[in-house]
Amino acid sequence: MSRPPYRAGPLVWAGVLAATCLLLALLQKVLWLVLPFLFALVAYYLVLPLKQRLVLRGLSHDSAAVAVSVGIFSLLGVAMLLSAPWLSAQLPALQSGGGRYLEGGMRFLGETLAWLEGRFAFAARAQLGQAVLGGIGDFVENFAARHLAGAALAAAAWFPSLLLIPFLAFFMLRDGWRFKRFLTRAVPNAYFERTLYLLDQVDRTARSYFQGLLKLTVLDAVCLALGLWLIGVSSPLLLGVVTAVMAWIPYLGSIAGCLLVVLVAATDHPGNPSVAYAAIALFVTVRLLDDFVFMPATVGKSLNMHPLPTVLMIFAGGAIAGVPGLVLVLPLLGIVAAVGETLGAVLSDPRLRARHRFARALLREQASRDLRC
Amino acid sequence: MFRLFSPSRPTGLAQRLAGLALLAELTPRELKIVAGLVHQRQALAGEVIFDEGEEGQAIYFVLAGQVTICRQGDSGRPIALLGAGQVFGELALIDGGPRSAQARAASDCELGVMFRGDFFNLMESHALIATRISFALARHYAGIVRQLAAAGGAQP
């Protein structure tokens, strides 16, 4: 007679949520390693299908990993060589453009605040425009003096750990399968099939999350680029791609991306604030599409979780570990859920535990058989 | 350092897999690919390998020793006794249903185990291997049908 399939209960789920929060708090302490590891993991899952294809064509794991790595590095090298002249030509324009866009954004903000003061007496009484613009102006003027040295030091401190990304990705690609074998060899026979299933689930969750994230980025980039092109903002494709990548940081990334586009729109069309408002409306629309259409079809599929705990965990991740917590919380939650559910299934199965005890008794008996007189 | 994770399986696993009826048609290169997906396990005489009604996650190859296939709790009357070179646990893998019987080590034995995901991934991504294994499985089941028909006195 077949047993009913196991379903995780409230205790398992409470454990999963608590373990995810605890891991986020711990990972925050080793952020210098977590971020390169995360980027390496994204790179690993992107190129893993290529390596698997080569292995199934008869290449050894080591040769396949080396072949894929050399191929990827060659492609990146060629792309960098080809884009270097174009980038060096664009740098002066970017440098002057930064100041210009900031000016355009400030002008748009000033016009909006003046309109608010004209419409609402409380805003005029509070001298809202003067207060906000004064604060922003002071921040911009003193930004270099206050933050540039700190930012340069932080970049210098982070640079060596970012060099770990290709190194980690290569060894994940070359030795990931060995690590899995190393883990499974230590598992008793009674739990062996379940462990294989668990490892597969963890692998599948992580892979589908990161691949889903990339699909979501492409969808966002296409929608934003198309929308920005329709409302007449310059460089719609570049802005679409940049803002879609920024959206990897839930909520904060979308807000920062929206601000960037509003700056560009206000500079491209001075005296026509409707373009900037249209850009804001576009971002809100894409955000809604993300939440209700794109995310459930891409990233949501990998997590297989109710939207409410998912959204709550995003906020908890932000509260526990800041911006890195916002980025890490969903893949971590998916993996911990896979581990938690399988552990729950194993630990709540008296038959598996009895089989393990029986196998140990057999081993003891076999080991002591010739010791009896 | 990565020696730590290096596999401790004999280099001759591919040759040992060549002795399996299911993989007999594969070339040495194809056997090497399959060997890369097979986990080796030891089971003691009397140890339960899987239970009837369990969800099947793997296909098993008997590399050495003997395995009894029996009804749950009725190991005294085995349905089949499998020796080296034979395969079991493939039915639950193919139809996705629960295990139809219990498998128990009749003697100390060595088993090859291939996980469901790896098996299907191999079948989906390697047409030649998939064809040869499918034919071998079809022959395996044709043999069972013939046996059943002979036992019933009919001609298939």
Side-chain angles (χ1 to χ4, degrees), chain A residues 56-57 187 351 355 366, chain B residues 29 41 51 54 108 126:
Chain A
L56 288 171
R57 288 277 159 269
V187 175
R351 176 66 185 180
R355 267 169 50 184
Q366 192 183 62
Chain B
R29 194 169 142 274
R41 309 289 296 180
D51 276 320
E54 222 175 66
D108 288 3
H126 210 298

Side-chain angles (χ1 to χ4, degrees), chain B residues 46-71:
Chain B
E47 190 174 348
V48 173
I49 296 158
F50 57 71
D51 276 320
E52 186 179 331
E54 222 175 66
E55 194 186 353
Q57 294 293 352
I59 182 170
Y60 289 80
F61 312 117
V62 185
L63 298 173
Q66 289 187 311
V67 171
T68 301
I69 306 295
C70 57
R71 287 264 162 249

Side-chain angles (χ1 to χ4, degrees), chain A residues 313-337:
Chain A
M313 281 307 287
I314 288 173
F315 283 102
I320 293 165
V323 173
L326 288 172
V327 180
L328 286 171
V329 68
L330 288 185
L332 201 62
L333 181 62
I335 289 167
V336 174

Side-chain angles (χ1 to χ4, degrees), chain A residues 213-288:
Chain A
L213 193 66
L214 289 167
K215 283 178 195 163
L216 183 68
T217 307
V218 170
L219 281 169
D220 278 356
V222 168
C223 288
L224 287 166
L226 197 67
L228 292 170
W229 175 73
L230 282 172
I231 61 177
V233 175
S234 63
S235 312
L237 186 64
L238 179 70
L239 279 173
V241 170
V242 168
T243 49
V245 171
M246 283 167 92
W248 283 12
I249 304 167
Y251 302 108
L252 285 182
S254 293
I255 292 165
C258 183
L259 281 174
L260 175 71
V261 171
V262 167
L263 288 181
V264 174
T267 310
D268 284 352
H269 302 272
N272 185 10
S274 63
V275 177
Y277 296 137
I280 295 169
L282 172 70
F283 263 84
V284 172
T285 309
V286 172
R287 183 72 257 166
L288 290 171

Side-chain angles (χ1 to χ4, degrees), chain A residues 283-300:
Chain A
F283 263 84
V284 172
T285 309
V286 172
R287 183 72 257 166
L288 290 171
L289 274 174
D290 257 2
D291 287 343
F292 293 103
V293 182
F294 297 157
M295 267 185 130
T298 54
V299 175

Side-chain angles (χ1 to χ4, degrees), chain A residues 364 366-373:
Chain A
R364 270 199 306 274
Q366 192 183 62
S368 59
R369 196 171 294 154
D370 64 334
L371 298 176
R372 296 192 192 94
C373 297

Side-chain angles (χ1 to χ4, degrees), chain A residues 16-97:
Chain A
V16 164
L17 298 180
T20 307
C21 292
L22 187 67
L23 275 171
L24 279 170
L26 289 173
L27 290 177
Q28 199 195 1
K29 304 289 180 208
V30 283
L31 209 56
W32 60 271
L33 184 62
V34 171
L35 283 186
F37 191 85
L38 188 72
F39 284 117
L41 208 59
V42 173
Y44 165 73
Y45 280 118
L46 268 179
V47 299
L48 184 65
L50 283 175
K51 186 221 165 183
Q52 281 176 332
R53 222 170 260 260
L54 290 176
V55 168
L56 288 171
R57 288 277 159 269
L59 249 70
S60 71
H61 282 273
D62 292 5
S63 308
V66 169
V68 169
S69 303
V70 167
I72 298 289
F73 280 121
S74 304
L75 274 174
L76 286 174
V78 168
M80 281 169 81
L81 275 173
L82 290 175
S83 61
W86 180 82
L87 275 173
S88 58
Q90 294 295 314
L91 273 175
L94 280 171
Q95 206 172 351
S96 63

